Amino acid sequence: MAPTGYYVALSGLLFAIGMIGVLTRRTAIMIFLSVELMLNAANLALVAFARSWGDLTGQTAVFIVMTLAAAEVAIGLAIIVAIFRKRETTNVDALATLKG
């Protein structure tokens, strides 16, 4: 078994990659995928700490978060597809006109 620190380091790396994706990408889908990567990095850290402490509470929380993330993906992708059909772009700079 690998030490918990390795999992936490991997989680931090994945979270950093996701954050870079959110900050540098301009398409809504890539931003959405980057947010999902950050969410899964947090889940990995929760599972690593739960395993380290021998408590199932963290793993239970991850299961709930994954369930909510699946619903979020379905709704988020539906919104992105609807915006793409109306505007024919998912560039967030072009979508700034949605402000009202």
Side-chain angles (χ1 to χ4, degrees), residues 15-67:
F15 192 87
I17 292 171
M19 183 176 292
I20 290 170
V22 167
L23 295 175
T24 59
R25 298 294 182 159
R26 301 284 32 121
T27 60
I29 291 178
M30 291 306 293
I31 292 171
F32 192 68
L33 291 176
S34 297
V35 168
E36 290 297 321
L37 185 62
M38 291 172 24
L39 185 64
N40 285 324
N43 286 340
L44 179 62
L46 275 174
V47 169
F49 285 123
R51 185 186 68 103
S52 173
W53 295 331
D55 189 12
L56 293 178
T57 306
Q59 294 175 0
T60 305
V62 167
F63 183 71
I64 293 169
V65 168
M66 288 176 67
T67 305

Side-chain angles (χ1 to χ4, degrees), residues 3-21:
T4 303
Y6 290 166
Y7 294 112
V8 173
L10 177 64
S11 172
L13 179 67
L14 290 174
F15 192 87
I17 292 171
M19 183 176 292
I20 290 170

